Amino acid sequence: MHYPECSKNQVSKTVALNRNYVAPPGIGTGISGLEVSFISHIDTWDDTALYSGTINHLVLKSGHLDFQTGYSDIQGNLANFKTGVGAVNSWRINFERPFATPPKVITFLRLLDMGSRSDTAIRVKIYPTDIDAKGFTLHVDSWKESTMNYAIAGWVAYPEDKDNVYSGTAYIRDTRLGLTYDLKNQENIKFPKGTFSEAPNVFVGIN
């Protein structure tokens, strides 16, 4: 879902799902594209203008118990959020239903409020560690001169041996030469042979 070029602080769009559900499904949303100076929102605040943005959404129907999803403040974890230059945060996330074995966990950015004292770089990293059958540790880090004021990370967990599902991370730094910075970056992702019998749905988020 792409939001066209604009310069407003709040932009929203109603998303029509491609099928009907017996009960309201879970919705995982993550920022997959951003340019800055169900109704889903891409909002800004203070003096930040939004020029364009993209949101991906992952629909998990209520009966699909293999998957669990949430975000970093759903258990009150942001009460002690660390802010400032190079702020580092982590919280223990407990699954609503324990898995039989440690699951696969993907993490992505849902909200970001950052500034920089000496340059315009925005540096943030979302990642999981210490994954076990009952939960994992979710990290939201910045570094160098970047100042983090507030952030929310989303996550999705699923069984490690789940058929017809694949997840991974694309590193922009691995695809460019030297220390140059490009406005457009890409990496070709190849699924392991035999993972899918037809073209899959793809969920993309910034982590």
Side-chain angles (χ1 to χ4, degrees):
M1 179 175 58
H2 178 71
Y3 289 79
E5 292 188 2
C6 60
S7 57
K8 298 179 181 180
N9 291 100
Q10 295 189 348
V11 181
S12 64
K13 183 176 181 179
T14 300
V15 179
L17 302 179
N18 59 9
R19 54 163 294 183
N20 294 323
Y21 293 86
V22 176
I27 303 290
T29 58
I31 299 172
S32 60
L34 189 64
E35 180 182 352
V36 297
S37 161
F38 133 11
I39 296 177
S40 65
H41 292 259
I42 294 184
D43 298 340
T44 62
W45 50 94
D46 290 339
D47 58 351
T48 302
L50 175 68
Y51 296 102
S52 68
T54 306
I55 282 181
N56 270 197
H57 62 274
L58 177 65
V59 180
L60 302 174
K61 60 184 180 180
S62 57
H64 214 156
L65 300 180
D66 283 349
F67 291 82
Q68 297 187 52
T69 184
Y71 49 96
S72 57
D73 66 347
I74 200 169
Q75 296 168 318
N77 293 315
L78 294 186
N80 299 313
F81 190 89
K82 298 180 181 67
T83 63
V85 177
V88 174
N89 288 273
S90 65
W91 311 272
R92 188 65 185 174
I93 301 296
N94 297 314
F95 298 131
E96 182 179 354
R97 301 176 303 278
F99 290 85
T101 60
K104 295 280 190 179
V105 177
I106 60 173
T107 57
F108 44 87
L109 188 63
R110 286 186 54 143
L111 180 149
L112 181 64
D113 184 344
M114 294 195 72
S116 184
R117 295 179 3 182
S118 62
D119 57 33
T120 58
I122 294 177
R123 303 178 180 92
V124 63
K125 183 178 181 180
I126 315 294
Y127 60 99
T129 62
D130 303 321
I131 301 170
D132 60 36
K134 295 182 178 180
F136 67 98
T137 300
L138 177 62
H139 299 261
V140 180
D141 298 348
S142 61
W143 61 95
K144 290 189 176 180
E145 299 85 3
S146 296
T147 301
M148 181 159 55
N149 302 317
Y150 187 64
I152 296 177
W155 59 268
V156 173
Y158 65 92
E160 61 175 347
D161 58 352
K162 181 70 176 177
D163 291 334
N164 302 315
V165 180
Y166 177 78
S167 60
T169 300
Y171 294 94
I172 290 177
R173 181 170 295 176
D174 293 344
T175 66
R176 63 188 181 215
L177 299 176
L179 296 177
T180 60
Y181 295 90
D182 299 320
L183 294 178
K184 294 183 178 181
N185 298 274
Q186 70 177 35
E187 181 176 349
N188 294 323
I189 305 299
K190 293 185 178 180
F191 301 127
K193 186 176 181 180
T195 302
F196 303 106
S197 59
E198 58 185 23
N201 294 320
V202 178
F203 173 77
V204 180
I206 295 174
N207 65 356

